[in-house]
């Protein structure tokens, strides 16, 4: 069964751009919560728990108001997507406490590359020289951002790289789930299952947040709910190859928020690495637009 949505590229672009502002803001909240800005730093698993808790509350409110008719969900795809999504989010939140938001965001833009590579054995997709070249370019950018020298290596950047790989696996399940269920149903089940997983994982490390941290957790979750809603509805209204480049604006907003919130200014290495990663991702998105639908690699996903 598939769900048809009227195509509207202009609206799709606007929705994806709106999603990028929300996504970048969630990383800013995660950085504040993972450092001592708002009190004793919270564990990344507690930050991701807050993300799913308040996002689920926000989306459930929308479900109660709209009262959509849900169909029987594909539990296997939902569980797979949510498990990898939760792990990716947690790793991403852990990384932003130690490295600039722009660096972490740029590295996680490798998730479509990992999704493409995983689609070869898992979905039987074919990868031509253009796509291999795009993947290689993006990986070179990631190596630059990792700063692999004894004097400048950032171990926390490996957290962002692992997050990108895990999110690449999530994209496999998103591709399997795409078109089977309505966007609001996908959002609701994703956050329901994510909350269940995050609740079990946070128990050993949970601590009482300060009032400011409760506010930041609530903001993080609600911003993510808005981002997911914009992203899924944007993806439904245009080809992934068209909307994917607009998602790269997340990097711009992440750098802006990091500067405004923490005074962080990207250095030359950060800019070079980010530009190379985005170049590889852009080539991949352009190439996907020229492929037949069944040959296309998964598109990026909102976290």
């Amino acid at each position: 069964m598939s769900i048809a949505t009227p195509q509207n590229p202009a609206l799709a672009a606007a929705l994806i751009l709106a999603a990028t502002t929300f996504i970048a803001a969630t990383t800013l909240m995660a950085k504040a919560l993972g450092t001592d800005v708002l009190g004793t730093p919270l564990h990344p698993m507690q930050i991701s728990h807050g993300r799913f808790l308040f996002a689920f509350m926000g989306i459930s409110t929308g479900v109660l108001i709209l009262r959509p008719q849900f169909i029987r969900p594909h539990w296997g795809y939902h569980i797979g997507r949510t498990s990898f999504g939760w792990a990716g989010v947690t790793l991403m939140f852990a990384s932003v406490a130690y490295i600039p938001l722009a660096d972490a965001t740029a590295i996680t833009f490798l998730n479509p590359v990992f999704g493409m590579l995983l689609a070869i054995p898992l979905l039987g997709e074919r990868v031509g020289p253009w796509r291999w070249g795009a993947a290689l370019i993006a990986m070179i950018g990631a190596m630059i951002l990792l700063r692999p020298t004894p004097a400048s290596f950032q171990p926390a950047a490996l957290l962002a790289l692992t997050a990108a790989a895990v999110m690449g696996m999530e994209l496999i399940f998103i591709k399997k789930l795409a078109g089977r269920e309505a966007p609001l149903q996908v959002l609701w089940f994703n956050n329901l299952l994510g909350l269940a997983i995050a609740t079990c994982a946070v128990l050993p490390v949970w601590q009482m947040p300060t009032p400011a941290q409760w506010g930041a957790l609530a903001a993080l979750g609600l911003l993510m709910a808005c981002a997911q809603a914009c992203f899924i509805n944007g993806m439904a209204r245009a080809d992934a190859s068209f909307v994917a480049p607009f998602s790269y604006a997340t990097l711009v907003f992440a750098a802006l928020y990091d500067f405004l919130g923490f005074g962080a200014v990207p250095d030359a290495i950060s800019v070079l690495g980010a530009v190379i990663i985005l170049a590889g991702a852009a080539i991949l998105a352009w190439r996907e637009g020229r492929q037949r639908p069944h040959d296309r690699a998964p598109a990026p996903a909102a976290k």
Side-chain angles (χ1 to χ4, degrees):
M1 177 181 178
S2 62
I3 305 296
T5 302
Q7 298 297 281
N8 187 332
L11 177 58
L15 287 168
I16 296 300
L17 285 173
T20 65
T21 67
F22 296 137
I23 294 169
T26 65
T27 61
L28 178 66
M29 293 294 103
K31 184 167 185 173
L33 289 161
T35 57
D36 59 2
V37 173
L38 302 176
T40 303
L42 298 183
H43 193 282
M45 286 195 288
Q46 184 164 358
I47 299 173
S48 64
H49 174 263
R51 169 254 180 270
F52 280 103
L53 171 63
F54 289 102
F56 177 71
M57 291 171 63
I59 293 170
S60 293
T61 300
V63 169
L64 289 174
I65 294 172
L66 298 175
R67 296 187 179 277
Q69 183 177 0
F70 284 178
I71 63 173
R72 182 178 180 181
H74 192 297
W75 288 107
Y77 292 163
H78 279 289
I79 291 173
R81 179 258 173 97
T82 302
S83 298
F84 285 103
W86 165 81
V89 165
T90 303
L91 290 166
M92 174 66 170
F93 288 167
S95 72
V96 299
Y98 304 102
I99 62 176
L101 296 184
D103 285 12
T105 302
I107 291 172
T108 56
F109 274 127
L110 290 170
N111 70 332
V113 174
F114 284 112
M116 181 199 78
L117 297 175
L118 290 166
I120 298 172
L122 298 179
L123 301 178
E125 293 188 352
R126 297 185 297 275
V127 177
W130 275 96
R131 292 165 74 180
W132 281 118
L136 178 61
I137 290 171
M139 292 303 297
I140 291 173
M143 291 303 298
I144 292 174
L145 284 180
L146 288 175
R147 296 168 170 82
T149 65
S152 59
F153 176 63
Q154 300 182 87
L158 293 176
L159 293 172
L161 185 63
T162 305
V166 172
M167 292 174 190
M169 188 64 198
E170 181 193 11
L171 290 177
I172 299 299
F173 286 96
I174 289 176
K175 187 169 186 180
K176 288 179 174 292
L177 194 59
R180 289 176 174 269
E181 301 170 26
L184 187 55
Q185 175 170 331
V186 172
L187 281 178
W188 192 80
F189 278 103
N190 171 237
N191 284 276
L192 170 66
L193 294 172
L195 177 58
I197 295 171
T199 298
C200 294
V202 77
L203 293 177
V205 299
W206 195 87
Q207 66 185 59
M208 177 61 72
T210 65
Q213 287 173 331
W214 275 119
L217 288 168
L220 192 161
L222 295 176
L223 285 167
M224 185 53 66
C226 293
Q228 288 184 316
C230 290
F231 185 85
I232 288 185
N233 280 283
M235 289 290 293
R237 285 168 169 76
D239 290 341
S241 58
F242 172 79
V243 300
F246 293 98
S247 67
Y248 304 151
T250 305
L251 182 59
V252 176
F253 288 111
L256 175 62
Y257 295 161
D258 208 12
F259 172 73
L260 295 176
F262 295 92
V265 178
D267 59 18
I269 293 178
S270 293
V271 173
L272 177 61
V275 168
I276 293 175
I277 288 177
L278 294 186
I283 292 172
L284 181 60
W286 169 77
R287 189 59 181 172
E288 296 313 311
R290 299 172 61 88
Q291 301 298 305
R292 290 171 295 179
H294 65 274
D295 288 335
R296 292 178 184 170
K303 299 283 38 99

